[in-house]
Amino acid sequence: MPGNTILTIASSPYKDQRPGTSGLRKRVQVFQQAHYLENFVQSIFDSIKPPQKALLVLGGDGRYFNREAIQIILKMAAANGFGRVLVGKGGILSTPAASCVIRKHAAFGGIILSASHNPGGPDGDFGIKYNTSNGGPAPEKITDSIFEASLKLTQYRIADAPDVQLDKTGDYTLCDMTVSVIDAVSDYADLMESLFDFGAIRDLLAGGFNIRFDAMHAVTGPYAREIFINRLKAPESSLMNCIPLPDFGKGHPDPNLTYAHELVEMLYGENTPDFGAASDGDGDRNMILGRNFFVTPSDSLAILTANAKLVPGYRAGLAGVARSMPTSAAVDLVAKELDIPCFETPTGWKFFGNLMDAGKVTLCGEESFGTGSSHIREKDGLWAVLFWLNIVAIKKQSVEAIVREHWAHFGRNVYSRHDYEAIPNDAANGVMAHLKAEFAHLPGKTFGSYKAEHCDDFSYTDPVDGSTSAGQGLRIIFTDGSRIVFRLSGTGTEGATLRIYLEAYDPVVANHHLDAQTALSELIAIAGRLSELEKRTGRAKPTVIT
Ligand code: VG1
Ligand code: CO
């Protein structure tokens, strides 16, 4: 009888279901192949082996295919013995809200549907990832076992039942399972209000400090409305693009100088707002702008760390900080002064989870517009925006003044990332192999004003569980601490994306006005020469500079 029947469907493996930096990301059309999504979801269930009647959290960033996928996963959860699923209203949960809900309700785990900052729509990307009971992305040993399960898969289980309505909160029944449709916005906003001085931010805004938040037609719109308009009493004009759309209004929901250009144009010029911020497709990234001023994510992490004592939730001090390897060492200098530990991990938020669970770090960040803390186990876009507003409200200085003062004290880690997207895989692998082969004779060699000191392929041993992750990025470190890092992206869906990360330390205040591309021009040239990039890829210029 429909409504109660559990079907076992025969299927066979797809060979390409290996999760990358942040879950499985593919073109929508790939996910729409027969049994593709079902195979991966069954592989998750087969490898996590949930106890009977377990609690699962489910939601996505609302992109194209989100609704269909949610219905399939609900029916598969019912057929795989889950007792209850908490699902975001309309099938939508931001990534940080999903992490918050998993923790608050002590769920067994969660499934998040998102391709984050990648474009959406029928020709765009889709993604799925599994988060564990700590609210964070599954560590590599779990993602590896999901991939192995996907290669051995022979069948999946799914309930033969009607779709569950997702647009009204409340409890519904699906076979023996309860589906609780929840509105996570207030849970999330409550968490933010418990960390930050909303009174001080409200006074700042009431005093005429003018902000613009760009949700890029992605998931943060409703969260931003609740926080900025309802709770902080900001004027309506503070929000832009706050209605979530399945194709993000045909935009690329990546909060950087290239893709958030509408906001950037608003913040550069005369009579601009005092503060601008944007978030990505699933709400875990942030970009911070002052008047005619861009804060690099690496500097942002360092400045939040240096000023954490101004924020109620962090007044007691920080246990430690962590950054991904390619992120600049600006935060290391702050950690040294505060006399707290600083950890360097591979790229991807999954590597911060153990450190936070063990109480070793409070703040974490990545150069890729990701900042967060142990309040949840994901990076958190709106959290970073509120952290900045809290600091501005207390210091009563502009964003630019805060950054310049920071540089004057600690020196400036001039930083930029150059991305070469959609390169043929062979060419990208050729660049990496060539660089590795060069490593043996680079140390000691001089390139203009830089002398190479050390080269390696970054490898990490987790200090909590001893697990190791090798092959995490090629580093050339110069004698003055400047660095060039080459790394292949693990989130792209077309060919290979080569990322070149450039960092130069400059303690001289008189140089701090320089544009990063100018200040880094010598390193940029060295990176091009050493990698033979143009010769091997035919690309003379990066696709995106951040
Ligand atoms: C990119 C970023 C990385 C980030 C990851 C997920 O990965 O560089 O820092 O953690 O995206 O971010 P990659 O492998 O393409 O460099 V998100 O906002 O997708 O969840
Ligand atoms: Co994201």
Side-chain angles (χ1 to χ4, degrees):
M1 186 182 95
N4 283 312
T5 323
I6 303 300
L7 304 176
T8 299
I9 311 280
S11 185
S12 53
Y14 283 95
K15 302 264 184 261
D16 64 347
Q17 298 196 322
R18 183 193 280 285
T21 313
S22 182
L24 184 69
R25 284 198 195 159
K26 300 281 176 195
R27 290 263 185 248
V28 166
Q29 286 101 328
V30 173
F31 271 101
Q32 285 171 330
Q33 296 173 89
H35 313 308
Y36 192 90
L37 174 71
E38 291 86 343
N39 273 17
F40 190 72
V41 172
Q42 189 63 52
S43 305
I44 295 176
F45 294 156
D46 287 349
S47 51
I48 62 173
K49 300 191 174 51
Q52 278 299 308
K53 298 284 163 205
L55 175 64
L56 183 73
V57 171
L58 176 63
D61 61 14
R63 67 178 59 226
Y64 184 84
F65 196 54
N66 193 75
R67 272 184 176 261
E68 295 87 323
I70 295 270
Q71 294 293 350
I72 291 169
I73 297 167
L74 284 173
K75 290 170 196 174
M76 290 186 66
N80 280 275
F82 281 90
R84 187 168 169 224
V85 178
L86 297 175
V87 56
K89 196 172 152 204
I92 296 180
L93 282 176
S94 77
T95 291
S99 185
C100 162
V101 172
I102 294 171
R103 295 170 69 77
K104 185 168 171 182
H105 297 270
F108 183 74
I111 291 181
I112 302 177
L113 305 177
S114 171
S116 188
H117 52 288
N118 297 16
D123 302 317
D125 290 340
F126 192 75
I128 173 167
K129 68 172 180 163
Y130 179 70
N131 281 28
T132 50
S133 60
N134 71 348
E140 277 192 328
K141 62 175 188 302
I142 295 183
T143 55
D144 287 348
S145 85
I146 294 172
F147 177 57
E148 276 154 33
S150 79
L151 296 175
K152 293 194 298 236
L153 182 127
T154 56
Q155 59 182 45
Y156 63 84
R157 287 185 295 286
I158 187 162
D160 181 18
D163 282 2
V164 179
Q165 82 80 27
L166 299 171
D167 294 313
K168 234 176 95 211
T169 54
D171 282 356
Y172 305 92
T173 302
L174 177 61
C175 298
D176 292 336
M177 189 180 84
T178 304
V179 177
S180 302
V181 177
I182 57 164
D183 183 353
V185 170
S186 57
D187 279 355
Y188 177 79
D190 289 348
L191 178 58
M192 293 301 111
E193 200 159 355
S194 76
L195 296 171
F196 300 107
D197 188 342
F198 272 35
I201 301 175
R202 214 177 285 127
D203 292 345
L204 174 78
L205 300 178
F209 188 83
N210 197 344
I211 65 168
R212 279 288 179 290
F213 177 78
D214 185 354
M216 304 190 84
H217 284 306
V219 76
T220 47
Y223 299 85
R225 173 163 296 282
E226 172 63 17
I227 291 169
F228 295 120
I229 308 292
N230 298 349
R231 299 200 186 194
L232 293 169
K233 308 295 174 209
E236 188 64 35
S237 58
S238 308
L239 301 185
M240 56 195 275
N241 301 325
C242 273
I243 298 178
L245 297 172
D247 65 351
F248 310 117
K250 305 225 180 315
H252 194 142
D254 196 354
N256 60 38
L257 294 175
T258 303
Y259 294 121
H261 53 88
E262 196 185 342
L263 176 74
V264 172
E265 279 148 29
M266 232 174 241
L267 268 290
Y268 281 76
E270 306 271 316
N271 300 320
T272 72
D274 299 287
F275 181 91
S279 192
D280 71 332
D282 61 330
D284 57 359
R285 295 185 176 207
N286 72 91
M287 174 171 69
I288 303 293
L289 300 170
R291 272 200 168 147
N292 299 298
F293 196 82
F294 163 65
V295 186
T296 70
S298 294
D299 280 342
S300 179
L301 174 64
I303 291 164
L304 300 190
T305 302
N307 293 287
K309 287 226 156 117
L310 305 179
V311 173
Y314 305 94
R315 200 155 279 154
L318 308 174
V321 287
R323 64 165 171 87
S324 66
M325 180 276 282
T327 304
S328 95
V331 71
D332 303 36
L333 303 174
V334 180
K336 196 162 167 221
E337 187 169 294
L338 295 176
D339 199 20
I340 55 173
C342 178
F343 297 85
E344 185 178 37
T345 60
T347 295
W349 211 260
K350 58 180 172 244
F351 295 102
F352 294 136
N354 274 350
L355 296 171
M356 290 194 269
D357 287 351
K360 289 180 182 293
V361 305
T362 311
L363 300 191
C364 310
E366 295 193 276
E367 51 64 43
S368 54
F369 299 79
T371 338
S373 90
S374 52
H375 67 292
I376 52 171
R377 293 293 182 275
E378 288 278 6
K379 54 190 187 273
D380 191 343
L382 283 166
W383 171 90
V385 177
L386 290 165
F387 206 130
W388 265 97
L389 288 174
N390 196 146
I391 292 173
V392 170
I394 303 297
K395 287 182 87 93
K396 304 198 186 332
Q397 285 176 301
S398 70
V399 170
E400 177 170 356
I402 291 170
V403 176
R404 291 204 184 278
E405 203 176 274
H406 184 93
W407 288 344
H409 183 82
F410 290 99
R412 178 181 178 199
N413 294 71
V414 189
Y415 192 84
S416 184
R417 183 176 104 183
H418 290 198
D419 291 338
Y420 293 78
E421 293 176 350
I423 303 177
N425 282 311
D426 288 351
N429 292 333
V431 169
M432 297 300 273
H434 165 72
L435 278 165
K436 251 182 147 165
E438 290 289 287
F439 275 10
H441 52 265
L442 284 186
K445 267 200 182 157
T446 299
F447 304 88
S449 34
Y450 295 95
K451 186 172 173 190
E453 186 176 79
H454 172 81
C455 308
D456 66 10
D457 190 349
F458 181 63
S459 136
Y460 177 68
T461 302
D462 185 301
V464 179
D465 66 14
S467 60
T468 57
S469 305
Q472 297 293 330
L474 302 180
R475 313 191 281 187
I476 303 172
I477 301 171
F478 298 93
T479 47
D480 68 347
S482 300
R483 301 187 305 166
I484 305 175
V485 175
F486 297 83
R487 198 184 143 262
L488 294 179
S489 156
T491 59
T493 55
E494 195 191 341
T497 293
L498 175 69
R499 305 201 193 285
I500 305 182
Y501 309 82
L502 304 136
E503 175 179 0
Y505 179 67
D506 194 340
V508 182
V509 177
N511 294 336
H512 289 173
H513 66 283
L514 285 176
D515 159 68
Q517 302 310 314
T518 312
L520 292 167
S521 56
E522 205 182 337
L523 277 183
I524 294 169
I526 297 170
R529 208 163 62 231
L530 286 180
S531 62
E532 299 184 347
L533 193 80
E534 190 170 352
K535 184 180 119 194
R536 290 172 179 275
T537 65
R539 301 287 185 85
K541 276 208 207 94
T543 327
V544 180
I545 295 181
T546 49

